[in-house]
Amino acid sequence: MQLWRHYHLAQSIPDALRALAEAEGPASIIAGGTDLLLDLEQGRRSPVHTLVDVTRIEAMRVVEIRNASLFVGAAAPLNQIVASPLVAEHAQALNEACALIGGPQVRNAATLGGNVAHALPAADGTIALTALNAQAEIATQNGRRLTPLIDLFLGPGQSALNPQEEMLTGFLLPLRARGEASAFRRVMRPQGVAIAILNMGVWLRREGDRIVKARISVGPSGPTPRRLRATEQALCGRSPTSQVLAEAAQTLLREARFRTSRHRATTTYRQHVAAILLEETLLTAWERAGAG
Amino acid sequence: MLNKWKLDTWITLTFGRDQAATCNTAHNKTPMSPHTISLTVNKQAIIVEVDPSETLAQLLRNRLRLTGTKIGCEEAECGACTVLVDDEPILSCVYPAVRAQGRRVLTIEGLAPNPRAGELHPLQEAFVTHGAVQCGFCIPGQIMTAAALLREKPHPTGEDIRKALKDTLCRCAGYPTIERAIQAAAHALRTGEPVPPPTCPPSSEPLYAVGKLHKRPDALEKVTGEAKYTDDLHFPGMLHAKVRRAGVPHAIVQRIDVSKARALPGVAAVLTAEDIPGECNHGLVVYDWPSLIGEGERVRYVGDALAIVAAETPELAEEALALIEVELDPQPVISDPVQARRPDSPKLHENGNLLKHIKVRKGDPAKGFSEADIVLERTYHTATTDHAFLEPECAIARPTEEGRLEVYVGSQIPYADRHQIARVLGWPEERVRVVGQLMGGGFGGKEDIAGQIHAALLAVATGRPVKLLYDRHESLIAHPKRHATQIRVKIGARRDGSLMAVETELYGDTGAYASLGEKVMTRATTHSAGPYEVPHVRADCYAMYTNNPPAGAFRGFGVTQSAFAIESMMDELAERLGMDPVELRRKNALRVGGVTNTGQVLRESVGLLECIEKVEDEMRRRADGDPFEPKTPPHAPHLRRAWGLAVAYKNTGLGGGAPDKARAEVELFEDGTLEARTSSAELGQGLVTVIQLIAAEALSMPPERVRVLVMDTDLTPDGGPTTASRQTYVTGNAVRMAATVLREGMARTLAERYDRPPHEIRFIEGLAHVNGHKVPLGEVARMMKAEGREPRVLYEYWAPETKPLGQGGDMHFAFSFAAQAAEVEVNTLTGEVRVLTVIAATDAGKVINPLGYLGQVEGGVMMGLGNALTEHFILEQGRPFTDRMARYRIPSIVHAPEIISIPVEHVSKDGPYGAKGMGEIVSIPTTPAITNAIYHAVGVRIDRLPVDQEQIALALAARSAR
Ligand SMILES: Cc1cc2nc3c(=O)[nH]c(=O)nc-3n(C[C@H](O)[C@H](O)[C@H](O)COP(=O)(O)OP(=O)(O)OC[C@H]3O[C@@H](n4cnc5c(N)ncnc54)[C@H](O)[C@@H]3O)c2cc1C
Ligand code: FES
Ligand code: FES
């Protein structure tokens, strides 16, 4: 059985969109292929007619400042993101998340676009981007549009993108201002599937000894990646003392919907870890924000 | 497998300018859109037509025949397939070949600046000289990944290396040595100086060849990618086989219809149980494992084979599998050994579910417990685990023109394979030749039949060569595992720590078929009271059939399980007694003159006390204060560190009354080289080096002049099974004796020729010194031939006799001993555990091959660490959940602690130059040393493997909430 019949190495965004639209059967974008090829091979996804490879499209591989935002190309390999001084400066959480994915061989192929489009509730890159308030740039035959990243997800493994007409070209992240910083942390288990038991991204703005604004994302806490808005609120205007952190953790546990995953973690353990991650990730971002 | 590689197009490969190679293949049928791509491979420009769904690994291996790039998983998990594309390491198993368009691809074959001239890249050289190469299967991936690292970071830190090699797995797991080799190569690359030599110490009393550092004879080919493993072989006209497996744990087969599969064009044969010419069943001890399950017969585990297919391509074979119609009547599943023993459980085999009730009786336990001041009891559970050797199973069967069958396979017991294959074919054994191939690891998992019989049946049916290669998924499902075991331990001691009685009850899950289950569980039982002198012992083990995958041999052979139980219990006892755990062990440790649980008096070579002392000294030297008290590292209030210690012993050799013998042959050639031959298996552990050194020692000739030939049932005499840590001792002795007899023959010839008494003749560094003459050995061979004597000796060595269990006396002819201390760091918030240091003192008698010894220690410790922390073959009602490498996790370099090896050489009188077995002992104490350390660090007792960080975290949280 052929898992796909045709492989198109796209040279440009319009070329890729055309190939998707004109395919004689089901078509799919392939970036690094580190999720897609295994899904096809292991039968988690039905065979397709055409694969459209986007890794040669230069416009999708850049990491640069664009219109006072940080643009990270959807097809930039994760290693390139990890090595980018711009990402280290403006998006520490993203840098940390990407550095934790796979080994160097996987990171040389895997992309942020794939990480997001795969739409898993605890993908590390996605959780970091969520805390960083990323916008996704989507290209269609009719042009490009920007969408808040968080609106891209419908359910586990299901993105809102129309696979035959739309593709992610990159992500726009606000530049980091003075007093702002982010961090990403996760907890793994040494046995079984190598997906985080829990991961968390935190972004905050600090004024003196107070948090004036915060964004917190956590996975997996429901079918899609999500922000913890009540917890963010609970922290605003306050100093992250242990008292405040404990209260925020309580809010988090009310707000997040942790579940038991077989052979990975129980709800109780996830709740336990969430409080720990909140403190660790938040304080890391807090320290960074204070340092300038 | 992203197989789907298609050879049904004409492919033109243009090598350079003038060479053109044309690969012809079968006809085309599906319309595809092939791509013509141009790329450079190892600095040669090529233009090649690739199939859209072909991977780079397939292009390299199958069509360019660059088989140095290995396939360990095809899941992007193991790193064995790493090659460089434009200098960056990528996984060629998930890299579409089309994507290589315009790129520079570098494989292991092209790494050296001038490979054809035999030059090595410093990394290749360092891997050889430092002993980083064991089975070799992961090595191309390790070297390519490291090459990319050194290009970027010429001066890497240890941290850099661990990050870079994070997902490049080595199951032989000499991770610390790999790291040192990379550092050595980095030095050479930076400075242009030669690769610095290893710092590994020799034996405390090195002899001429034995006990000194030597390169593995097979290391060179393994670092250049030249080494051929079974899947690297290709024969003209070869078919590809696949197995239709039951997929359910327990059922009765109602119907198997293969007619549609047979009708598929390109399918050469589809066979079912009806087509078996000889006996259906195979097995190593009991013939209870059907090669194929027929209609009306019982399926006993998910991996049971119902039909086998041979076709022109693997894809066609796969397609044919899907056309086989099967009706199964599901039966209730027996998923654990305790359930299996219940009277109302269905009977899986004719004689019921009990494979064997194993009993050990010594003294009067009731009396012992009544005289004890303290009695403790606890039940421990160990998990099913998988060998996860990096090379999945592969067998090729090839009919010869003379009407025989050759079977190419990486097997731990070539003669047993031959016997079992012949039995199923209904042929005399001599008609089958097993040609053992290099093995990418075995660890006990390549003792049973995998694809050998199926490939043989299909080859005989079609008259063509047939290759049966498992992918990782099939490997995980099909082959025997380590026995999950439930172990209840009851222990009684006096207040001063003297052990009075130990009672154990074990339930071993031997799965669907016996394999070596009885032997493994016997070892688990006889060792279940630990390496201690205990006056009263009672041990009962029920080795039970279940509907889980069969369980068989796995490094440690049952003792891994029972050592975890007894060594955990010893620590609990020490705590209850308020005694130092080292002191408690020292007090009860077996020593010369001691009597084991089976009533064997140990007359010599018991280095346990010295192992304990050495480890304790080193541990106390490193610990700040009491090693068993928790410490909090500065600036990390949530971390706790502490040490734990455990000891173990393990028999060398089959024992228990089984005749344990090996044959070896040595032959001297006129060019002055010697060949040593035995069928014993090289699975990465380094047997060929051991044989080489022993033969060289016995003849006082340079080891480089000794060739070793192994694993061929036509060319090498039977060395017996490669199991029970027996090869160094038993086959080593056979080689030594054969060489010694040859030496005597040489002396006789020289004595006559020079008219001197034989005892005056000296052999020094490859020369015979006689009467002032120095005669090269090749010359002696010529003289012997001229006299009509063959310079060749075949020797059959019989190891000292042993007694069956229950009869007292010597159940084993030698034991190895070990003590290990582990320092762990536990995160009190998340429960995560990290092992920082392991100190391993091992008494395996004389150190024959120091580099190999170190490799065994490092790999053994890592495997014990995996057993404690990462490995869990999860079964849900007989169905494997961990059916991919992504779910069955083995330790990687990031898990590797600092490993300090301390050899303790209590020589064994009858071992070759005093050596005993060491392959297993090094792995046994690690798990309990780690779990004991966890207890000392945070007070949570682990009684179930693997360690569950969640359990630790929640226990600690509950405690602090109180
Ligand atoms: C060994 C290993 C370890 C891993 N570890 C981690 C980890 O620690 N954390 C983690 O989060 N993930 C991990 N992953 C998962 C995975 O590699 C990443 O999620 C990766 O980022 C996916 O990117 P890709 O480019 O390979 O995606 P692909 O496999 O190419 O694509 C994935 C999906 O996204 C779609 N897609 C890709 N690009 C686009 C685009 N531009 N527009 C629209 N759709 C697109 C594809 O059609 C497909 O459906 C690991 C994978 C492996 C093999
Ligand atoms: S074979 Fe490619 S990663 Fe294992
Ligand atoms: S040498 Fe690495 S797997 Fe054997």
Side-chain angles (χ1 to χ4, degrees):
Chain A
M1 189 179 46
Q2 298 284 334
L3 298 174
W4 65 91
R5 296 276 170 93
H6 185 70
Y7 196 95
H8 183 74
L9 263 185
Q11 299 303 318
S12 66
I13 294 170
D15 178 31
L17 290 168
R18 202 178 317 117
L20 280 177
E22 291 172 4
E24 290 163 34
S28 178
I29 293 173
I30 177 170
T34 59
D35 277 327
L36 178 68
L37 293 180
L38 301 180
D39 283 356
L40 282 167
E41 175 55 38
Q42 296 172 14
R44 286 188 296 266
R45 206 177 153 136
S46 30
V48 292
H49 180 276
T50 298
L51 287 181
V52 179
D53 185 318
V54 295
T55 58
R56 294 273 170 117
I57 302 174
E58 274 313 313
M60 285 173 65
R61 293 175 62 99
V62 291
V63 177
E64 63 183 17
I65 306 286
R66 188 184 286 179
N67 304 331
S69 290
L70 174 66
F71 177 85
V72 181
L78 299 179
N79 267 344
Q80 188 186 327
I81 297 174
V82 176
S84 160
L86 288 176
V87 174
E89 166 67 19
H90 294 289
Q92 295 118 321
L94 183 63
N95 167 288
E96 287 171 326
C98 292
L100 289 170
I101 295 175
Q105 297 101 315
V106 165
R107 289 195 299 273
N108 276 329
T111 67
L112 202 51
N115 194 274
V116 169
H118 203 219
L120 291 183
D124 293 319
T126 308
I127 289 297
L129 285 175
T130 304
L132 291 165
N133 206 20
Q135 306 240 51
E137 187 186 71
I138 297 167
T140 66
Q141 300 258 39
N142 306 323
R144 297 191 200 178
R145 64 185 156 91
L146 286 177
T147 308
L149 185 88
I150 200 92
D151 295 343
L152 280 181
F153 309 109
L154 299 180
Q158 259 185 299
S159 87
L161 295 168
N162 179 336
Q164 215 114 346
E165 286 169 18
E166 298 179 319
M167 72 188 211
L168 290 168
T169 48
F171 304 94
L172 280 173
L173 310 174
L175 296 185
R176 194 167 68 87
R178 236 186 113 70
E180 294 175 356
S182 64
F184 175 89
R185 291 287 182 274
R186 69 177 190 184
V187 172
M188 304 285 283
R189 184 186 173 86
Q191 310 98 13
V193 192
I195 305 178
I197 284 176
L198 210 70
N199 56 5
M200 189 177 287
V202 170
W203 173 94
L204 56 81
R205 181 180 302 145
R206 168 177 179 175
E207 271 173 20
D209 61 357
R210 281 180 319 129
I211 298 168
V212 293
K213 200 163 186 228
R215 287 192 298 269
I216 301 172
S217 56
V218 68
S221 67
T224 60
R226 59 184 289 225
R227 288 260 304 271
L228 299 176
R229 306 216 182 233
T231 313
E232 293 169 3
Q233 274 311 314
L235 287 161
C236 275
R238 310 178 75 179
S239 210
T241 59
S242 41
Q243 171 68 26
V244 169
L245 284 168
E247 281 171 35
Q250 287 309 313
T251 313
L252 186 155
L253 293 184
R254 277 194 302 276
E255 183 179 21
R257 283 172 296 153
F258 295 123
R259 297 213 326 208
T260 293
S261 355
R262 218 160 35 120
H263 308 310
R264 220 162 110 215
T266 61
T267 306
T268 318
Y269 186 50
R270 283 212 162 104
Q271 290 171 335
H272 175 79
V273 166
I276 295 161
L277 273 186
L278 178 67
E279 174 170 341
E280 200 185 316
T281 323
L282 192 101
L283 289 181
T284 307
W286 171 258
E287 293 297 324
R288 286 176 182 164
Chain B
M1 197 172 36
L2 276 168
N3 44 39
K4 327 314 157 204
W5 51 288
K6 191 186 61 144
L7 290 176
D8 20 345
T9 34
W10 286 84
I11 303 137
T12 310
L13 306 175
T14 316
F15 288 99
R17 208 166 277 166
D18 41 29
Q19 290 167 282
T22 317
C23 312
N24 174 18
T25 57
H27 51 269
N28 195 347
K29 54 179 199 55
T30 36
M32 299 272 297
S33 21
H35 298 251
T36 302
I37 62 169
S38 57
L39 68 163
T40 70
V41 176
N42 299 336
K43 299 172 199 106
Q44 283 188 309
I46 66 172
I47 295 172
V48 58
E49 199 166 274
V50 295
D51 180 294
S53 59
E54 185 170 357
T55 64
L56 181 58
Q58 288 161 347
L59 171 65
L60 293 170
R61 287 181 51 79
N62 301 340
R63 295 211 279 135
L64 304 181
R65 298 254 183 273
L66 292 169
T67 52
T69 299
K70 300 298 177 208
I71 299 294
C73 69
E74 289 190 303
E75 289 181 39
E77 286 289 330
C78 76
C81 63
T82 304
V83 301
L84 304 189
V85 172
D86 289 354
D87 301 332
E88 305 257 35
I90 58 96
L91 300 173
S92 59
C93 74
V94 287
Y95 193 91
V98 190
R99 192 178 273 183
Q101 158 62 28
R103 305 282 194 218
R104 269 180 299 119
V105 177
L106 191 71
T107 72
I108 188 75
E109 290 91 343
L111 180 66
N114 190 357
R116 295 237 172 79
E119 275 175 25
L120 292 183
H121 185 279
L123 273 167
Q124 293 170 315
E125 194 183 327
F127 270 63
V128 172
T129 54
H130 283 248
V133 180
Q134 299 191 45
C135 80
F137 200 76
C138 73
I139 295 300
Q142 305 285 359
I143 291 180
M144 296 314 287
T145 315
L149 168 72
L150 295 186
R151 199 187 292 267
E152 211 181 297
K153 294 206 163 115
H155 217 135
T157 62
E159 181 68 16
D160 291 332
I161 294 175
R162 285 189 290 276
K163 271 192 180 158
L165 297 187
K166 171 175 178 259
D167 280 358
T168 308
L169 301 175
C170 177
R171 188 54 158 168
C172 303
Y175 289 125
T177 299
I178 290 177
E179 190 177 323
R180 284 190 295 272
I182 294 173
Q183 289 291 12
H187 176 88
L189 280 165
R190 274 194 315 267
T191 59
E193 292 168 15
V195 172
T199 51
C200 170
S203 157
S204 59
E205 285 172 42
L207 307 175
Y208 163 63
V210 157
K212 293 192 187 140
L213 271 63
H214 295 276
K215 296 179 202 167
R216 274 181 82 106
D218 58 7
L220 184 66
E221 57 176 16
K222 287 176 175 174
V223 297
T224 58
E226 287 303 307
K228 296 279 180 266
Y229 299 78
T230 311
D231 183 37
D232 301 335
L233 303 179
H234 179 88
F235 294 101
M238 191 166 78
L239 296 165
H240 297 267
K242 297 269 176 196
V243 183
R244 171 69 194 253
R245 298 191 184 272
V248 298
H250 192 193
I252 305 294
V253 180
Q254 305 289 355
R255 190 176 72 94
I256 305 177
D257 183 349
V258 298
S259 52
K260 286 188 188 136
R262 280 198 178 127
L264 185 74
V267 169
V270 183
L271 305 180
T272 64
E274 286 174 11
D275 306 305
I276 293 179
E279 301 285 332
C280 179
N281 286 3
H282 62 83
L284 282 169
V285 181
V286 189
Y287 299 112
D288 65 352
W289 191 338
S291 308
L292 286 161
I293 314 271
E295 289 181 348
E297 293 171 0
R298 189 182 296 274
V299 164
R300 297 186 182 85
Y301 87 109
V302 287
D304 266 331
L306 305 180
I308 47 180
V309 174
E312 299 294 337
T313 67
E315 299 70 53
L316 278 169
E318 190 88 54
E319 233 176 280
L321 283 192
L323 296 176
I324 296 172
E325 289 168 15
V326 171
E327 273 173 40
L328 300 171
D329 177 19
Q331 302 289 309
V333 174
I334 301 182
S335 60
D336 82 71
V338 178
Q339 178 198 356
R341 195 158 166 249
R342 282 190 205 125
D344 57 339
S345 280
K347 303 270 165 283
L348 298 181
H349 288 270
E350 229 166 84
N351 297 331
N353 297 337
L354 180 68
L355 170 62
K356 184 86 178 176
H357 176 188
I358 300 144
K359 299 177 213 172
V360 174
R361 304 284 183 261
K362 181 188 184 189
D364 179 356
K367 179 161 170 284
F369 284 119
S370 72
E371 290 171 0
D373 297 318
I374 189 165
V375 175
L376 298 178
E377 186 169 339
R378 194 194 269 271
T379 301
Y380 302 86
H381 290 90
T382 70
T384 303
T385 58
D386 190 273
H387 309 77
F389 31 72
L390 223 49
E391 178 210 23
E393 297 89 333
C394 184
I396 301 174
R398 185 169 81 111
T400 69
E401 281 171 15
E402 309 84 63
R404 297 179 70 207
L405 189 74
E406 290 176 349
V407 180
Y408 298 79
V409 63
S411 160
Q412 289 184 236
I413 325 181
Y415 276 89
D417 282 13
R418 184 177 81 159
H419 170 75
Q420 295 176 86
I421 295 166
R423 192 171 185 269
V424 177
L425 292 178
W427 285 10
E429 287 188 32
E430 295 68 33
R431 225 177 129 187
V432 176
R433 172 181 177 192
V434 173
V435 190
Q437 300 301 303
L438 279 181
M439 245 176 285
F443 313 108
K446 289 177 181 167
E447 298 190 21
D448 296 271
I449 289 292
Q452 293 90 319
I453 289 177
H454 291 156
L457 286 167
L458 288 164
V460 169
T462 59
R464 289 169 64 179
V466 174
K467 180 188 274 188
L468 175 47
L469 168 69
Y470 287 4
D471 62 12
R472 179 58 59 183
H473 178 63
E474 191 166 18
S475 173
L476 282 168
I477 283 179
H479 76 237
K481 313 280 171 234
R482 194 197 294 284
H483 290 71
T485 310
Q486 170 184 309
I487 309 169
R488 183 176 59 79
V489 183
K490 184 175 167 192
I491 198 164
R494 285 260 167 81
R495 225 161 262 124
D496 69 353
S498 320
L499 294 182
M500 298 307 296
V502 174
E503 183 185 284
T504 58
E505 185 190 53
L506 298 86
Y507 278 86
D509 180 355
T510 209
Y513 300 108
S515 176
L516 287 167
E518 178 192 332
K519 311 266 176 211
V520 171
M521 282 294 109
T522 301
R523 235 49 90 224
T525 313
T526 57
H527 288 67
S528 65
Y532 303 113
E533 174 99 45
V534 189
H536 309 288
V537 176
R538 178 192 172 97
D540 288 273
C541 173
Y542 306 96
M544 304 302 302
Y545 287 115
T546 67
N547 292 119
N548 291 327
F554 191 160
R555 194 184 206 173
F557 217 77
V559 187
T560 311
Q561 291 93 314
S562 49
F564 166 65
I566 187 70
E567 286 303 285
S568 301
M569 183 52 107
M570 286 297 277
D571 255 35
E572 286 196 63
L573 179 63
E575 190 185 20
R576 281 290 290 274
L577 290 167
M579 217 172 148
D580 182 88
V582 188
E583 190 45 43
L584 177 65
R585 288 180 171 87
R586 194 176 2 244
K587 186 172 181 72
N588 294 288
L590 282 170
R591 47 203 91 196
V592 171
V595 184
T596 69
N597 309 325
T598 64
Q600 173 168 0
V601 181
L602 298 175
R603 291 181 298 275
E604 55 137 19
S605 187
V606 185
L608 180 57
L609 277 175
E610 192 181 333
C611 287
I612 295 175
E613 252 156 52
K614 290 268 163 67
V615 165
E616 186 182 18
D617 288 352
E618 183 63 22
M619 173 177 71
R620 295 205 190 272
R621 197 178 69 70
R622 289 166 168 260
D624 126 49
D626 184 347
F628 305 126
E629 279 297 316
K631 309 276 175 340
T632 305
H635 315 301
H638 60 298
L639 301 179
R640 295 287 178 284
R641 291 180 180 174
W643 290 81
L645 181 131
V647 302
Y649 72 143
K650 172 73 181 62
N651 61 294
T652 293
L654 304 177
D660 201 350
K661 58 177 178 168
R663 302 170 120 215
E665 189 172 50
V666 294
E667 180 169 1
L668 186 64
F669 293 92
E670 294 178 19
D671 63 2
T673 62
L674 182 92
E675 187 167 86
R677 299 186 275 258
T678 173
S679 79
S680 305
E682 171 57 52
L683 31 141
Q685 86 281 37
L687 179 70
V688 290
T689 325
V690 165
I691 292 177
Q692 184 190 45
L693 296 182
I694 287 175
E697 187 71 47
L699 291 162
S700 310
M701 66 186 288
E704 305 78 58
R705 280 197 231 151
V706 179
R707 278 190 309 280
V708 181
L709 184 66
V710 287
M711 304 189 283
D712 187 317
T713 59
D714 269 21
L715 304 180
T716 62
D718 192 355
T722 301
T723 188
S725 306
R726 65 182 282 283
Q727 287 299 8
T728 295
Y729 191 105
V730 185
T731 301
N733 263 331
V735 170
R736 186 168 80 115
M737 295 313 295
T740 305
V741 173
L742 176 65
R743 180 182 173 132
E744 284 161 7
M746 285 155 57
R748 266 197 307 280
T749 296
L750 290 164
E752 284 163 25
R753 174 71 61 106
Y754 291 94
D755 197 20
R756 305 298 308 166
H759 70 260
E760 272 188 19
I761 294 154
R762 298 265 174 280
F763 292 89
I764 303 171
E765 304 215 6
L767 294 172
H769 291 238
V770 46
N771 204 14
H773 299 274
K774 290 181 184 167
V775 190
L777 296 190
E779 185 60 35
V780 184
R782 220 165 293 137
M783 290 176 190
M784 290 176 83
K785 282 189 176 161
E787 289 173 3
R789 293 193 204 168
E790 279 300 324
R792 187 174 66 206
V793 174
L794 173 69
Y795 194 95
E796 181 170 275
Y797 169 78
W798 286 72
E801 201 182 319
T802 57
K803 285 277 191 311
L805 175 60
Q807 295 189 5
D810 289 357
M811 190 172 165
H812 294 289
F813 50 75
F815 289 95
S816 295
F817 298 87
Q820 293 186 4
E823 184 191 21
V824 304
E825 180 180 281
V826 183
N827 182 326
T828 55
L829 300 175
T830 60
E832 289 165 292
V833 176
R834 216 154 65 88
V835 182
L836 305 174
T837 319
V838 173
I839 305 164
T842 316
D843 165 26
K846 179 96 185 162
V847 176
I848 302 246
N849 166 24
L851 282 176
Y853 188 98
L854 183 60
Q856 286 293 310
V857 172
E858 290 179 350
V861 165
M862 289 311 295
M863 213 169 238
L865 185 150
N867 188 55
L869 298 183
T870 74
E871 298 184 34
H872 191 188
F873 192 85
I874 301 170
L875 288 152
E876 297 173 321
Q877 285 293 307
R879 291 172 195 269
F881 170 80
T882 41
D883 60 348
R884 309 254 177 211
M885 199 107 171
R887 292 182 165 184
Y888 189 81
R889 308 259 296 284
I890 60 173
S892 93
I893 197 167
V894 297
H895 296 102
E898 182 186 357
I899 298 174
I900 299 122
S901 167
I902 308 175
V904 169
E905 300 180 77
H906 281 230
V907 296
S908 156
K909 182 168 59 59
D910 293 324
Y913 303 101
K916 303 183 279 191
M918 78 159 316
E920 301 175 279
I921 184 68
V922 289
S923 196
I924 296 170
T926 318
T927 302
I930 290 170
T931 53
N932 285 339
I934 292 173
Y935 183 79
H936 292 141
V938 295
V940 177
R941 172 57 59 194
I942 305 295
D943 55 14
R944 185 180 286 271
L945 293 176
V947 173
D948 180 0
Q949 69 190 44
E950 173 165 341
Q951 180 210 334
I952 296 177
L954 297 182
L956 293 179
R959 195 184 300 161
S960 64
R962 249 185 269 132

